[in-house]
């Protein structure tokens, strides 16, 4: 069975249990940033967090939306390509009042980042830093997940 079908079935099973949220984090990225997404995924899982990220390019949007709805925090990996992609997943997360932590992967212009922040207002717990410092990023995200779960 392909990864996208397995992922779809896992999400359906978790939703039917009714124990939401089922993920701590949903990572959003463009396919060309998949290696960075996998690195962050691994760092977050090492912190004990349950992470969802798409496993192939052909995951349907309903499954992505379900993962976003059923996550404590939505983490878009911000890059020039992500901004150029139209950010469908990001826009969905904001429209669904998800908590967002943006992680910058490259030297996206200040204008792009500022526009991003303005578009979501108080929903963002911004994180800006060197993506190479995965330990620090994972610690920051893990602390935010714990804070939100305590509310």
């Amino acid at each position: 069975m392909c990864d996208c079908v397995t992922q779809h079935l896992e999400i359906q099973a978790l939703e039917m249990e009714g124990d939401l949220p089922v993920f701590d984090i949903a990572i959003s990225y463009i396919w060309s940033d998949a290696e960075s997404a996998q690195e962050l995924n691994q760092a977050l899982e090492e912190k004990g967090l349950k992470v969802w990220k798409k496993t192939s390019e052909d995951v349907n949007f309903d499954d992505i939306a379900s993962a976003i709805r059923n996550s404590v925090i939505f983490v878009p990996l911000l890059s020039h390509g992500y901004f150029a992609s139209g950010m469908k997943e990001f826009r969905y997360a904001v429209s669904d009042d998800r908590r967002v932590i943006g992680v910058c992967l490259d030297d996206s212009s200040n204008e792009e980042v500022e526009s991003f922040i303005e578009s979501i207002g108080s929903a963002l717990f911004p994180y800006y830093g060197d993506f190479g410092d995965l330990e620090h990023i994972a610690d920051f995200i893990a602390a935010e997940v714990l804070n939100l779960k305590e509310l």
Side-chain angles (χ1 to χ4, degrees), residues 3-4 7-8 10-11 23 25-31 33-45 50-57 59 63-64 67-68 71 74-75 77 89:
D3 284 343
C4 60
Q7 200 170 44
H8 173 76
E10 288 172 355
I11 291 171
F23 302 105
I25 305 295
I27 298 175
S28 173
Y29 61 98
I30 58 170
W31 200 244
D33 294 332
E35 185 176 326
S36 296
Q38 181 55 37
E39 291 171 12
L40 180 59
N41 182 88
Q42 183 176 346
L44 292 168
E45 285 180 345
K50 188 167 183 179
V51 180
W52 182 90
K53 70 174 188 55
K54 58 190 168 193
T55 56
S56 71
E57 284 185 89
V59 174
D63 289 342
I64 294 169
I68 293 168
S71 296
F74 174 73
V75 178
L77 301 186
E89 296 164 14

Side-chain angles (χ1 to χ4, degrees), residues 8-150:
H8 173 76
L9 295 173
E10 288 172 355
I11 291 171
Q12 278 188 326
L14 290 168
E15 283 186 320
M16 288 188 334
E17 291 173 11
D19 199 14
L20 303 177
V22 295
F23 302 105
D24 295 310
I25 305 295
I27 298 175
S28 173
Y29 61 98
I30 58 170
W31 200 244
S32 61
D33 294 332
E35 185 176 326
S36 296
Q38 181 55 37
E39 291 171 12
L40 180 59
N41 182 88
Q42 183 176 346
L44 292 168
E45 285 180 345
E46 287 172 3
K47 300 287 179 196
L49 298 175
K50 188 167 183 179
V51 180
W52 182 90
K53 70 174 188 55
K54 58 190 168 193
T55 56
S56 71
E57 284 185 89
D58 61 349
V59 174
N60 79 43
F61 188 75
D62 289 341
D63 289 342
I64 294 169
S66 179
I68 293 168
R69 274 193 316 277
N70 295 309
S71 296
V72 176
I73 295 177
F74 174 73
V75 178
L77 301 186
L78 307 176
S79 64
H80 291 295
Y82 191 84
F83 288 112
S85 74
M87 306 186 315
K88 183 176 181 180
E89 296 164 14
F90 163 75
R91 293 181 193 290
Y92 177 80
V94 171
S95 73
D96 197 46
D97 295 324
R98 300 287 90 202
R99 294 293 190 162
V100 178
I101 298 175
V103 176
C104 292
L105 294 183
D106 59 23
D107 63 345
S108 297
S109 74
N110 287 339
E111 192 172 294
E112 285 174 312
V113 173
E114 290 302 318
S115 175
F116 172 79
I117 291 170
E118 287 176 21
S119 70
I120 61 173
S122 63
L124 177 69
F125 293 110
Y127 180 82
Y128 302 101
D130 179 6
F131 184 74
D133 188 3
L134 280 177
E135 185 71 22
H136 184 77
I137 292 169
D139 285 341
F140 177 82
I141 293 171
E144 291 299 329
V145 167
L146 290 176
N147 287 339
L148 289 170
K149 283 184 167 183
E150 289 176 1

